Amino acid sequence: MLIKNIEGKIRLATFVSISSLLMAMIITGLVSYFAYRQVSEARKQIYVLDQNGTPIRAGQTDLALNRGAEYRAHISRFHQLFFSLIPDEKYIEGQMRQAMYLIDESGAQQYNNLKERSFFSSVLSSSAVLTLQTDSILLDEKRMYFRYYGTQRIDRRSSVLTRSLITEGHLSDLAARSEQNPHAVLITGWKTLENRDKTTIAKNPF
């Protein structure tokens, strides 16, 4: 009888030990899960300082929600760098250098073609100021395709010329952002569909 009592107590102790271990594991798992959720929620909240230095909580949005806006900003920035120029050789080189971080070899090909046609030399010799206005950007995120519509203004000493600019290309996401490419996007297969004169207005020489 004594032996049976001892065996029963051993079985009870074993059962209690295993139950306690399982319960501890479940509690640990639940605590870890809720702690992870709390940390994840906290990471979605950032604080910015207003003009008076007061911290204001701002919510972090999902990257995918803003990706379309980033694509458009990237496309617009590239075209502004490539087509907005002043008659300053170092400035032009700087613009082209920045633009090349945003595009693949198709950008370098167009740049070299323009150099061979003495386009940049004519900008310098005629003291032309080129500015570009973005009219619209057609973006197909599924195909990662875009079409850019813009109006370029070429202001020379004797006249002001406006040109219609239409280009197209594709987009490729990069693994990481950088100072030179903050949107982590690369324009690929870029080509000009239209670049024609719209209006020419002669300046009064007096």
Side-chain angles (χ1 to χ4, degrees), residues 1 74 106 125 145:
M1 196 68 178
H74 184 91
S106 60
S125 62
Y145 168 84

Side-chain angles (χ1 to χ4, degrees), residues 37-186:
R37 283 192 58 184
Q38 186 175 2
V39 171
S40 297
E41 290 297 324
R43 286 179 177 174
K44 292 181 180 179
Q45 298 175 357
I46 59 175
Y47 289 84
V48 295
L49 298 178
D50 64 9
Q51 294 180 347
N52 299 321
T54 304
I56 301 174
R57 192 175 72 180
Q60 181 184 27
T61 58
D62 189 353
L63 176 63
L65 297 178
N66 288 332
R67 203 53 176 155
E70 287 197 286
Y71 289 149
R72 285 184 169 84
H74 184 91
I75 295 166
S76 180
R77 173 167 170 73
F78 167 76
H79 285 81
Q80 291 292 334
L81 288 169
F82 199 92
F83 292 103
S84 294
L85 306 171
I86 63 173
D88 183 306
E89 187 173 2
K90 290 186 178 179
Y91 179 86
I92 294 174
E93 291 177 355
Q95 291 283 96
M96 295 301 114
R97 185 165 52 252
Q98 292 181 64
M100 292 306 108
Y101 284 111
L102 311 180
I103 194 169
D104 68 354
E105 64 276 4
S106 60
Q109 290 172 0
Q110 289 213 38
Y111 171 61
N112 291 330
N113 290 338
L114 290 174
K115 284 185 68 175
E116 290 176 2
R117 288 157 47 191
S118 300
F119 172 77
F120 300 108
S121 297
S122 68
V123 172
L124 297 174
S125 62
S126 63
S127 298
V129 176
L130 284 66
T131 55
L132 181 68
Q133 174 185 325
T134 299
D135 296 329
S136 64
I137 298 174
L138 173 67
L139 177 63
D140 186 341
E141 292 188 56
K142 290 184 179 180
R143 294 170 52 211
M144 297 293 279
Y145 168 84
F146 74 88
R147 182 169 288 187
Y148 176 91
Y149 298 87
T151 300
Q152 188 179 40
R153 175 188 169 100
I154 303 176
D155 193 339
R156 298 191 178 99
R157 286 189 293 262
S158 59
S159 64
V160 176
L161 171 68
T162 58
R163 298 178 64 85
S164 172
L165 176 68
I166 303 176
T167 71
E168 70 174 2
H170 289 81
L171 302 171
S172 177
D173 288 322
L174 299 179
R177 300 171 188 266
S178 67
E179 184 177 347
Q180 292 80 16
N181 193 331
H183 298 115
V185 185
L186 197 68

Side-chain angles (χ1 to χ4, degrees), residues 5-20:
N5 289 338
I6 293 174
E7 290 177 350
K9 290 181 179 180
I10 292 174
R11 284 197 296 272
L12 178 61
T14 303
F15 174 77
V16 171
S17 299
I18 294 175
S19 299
S20 299

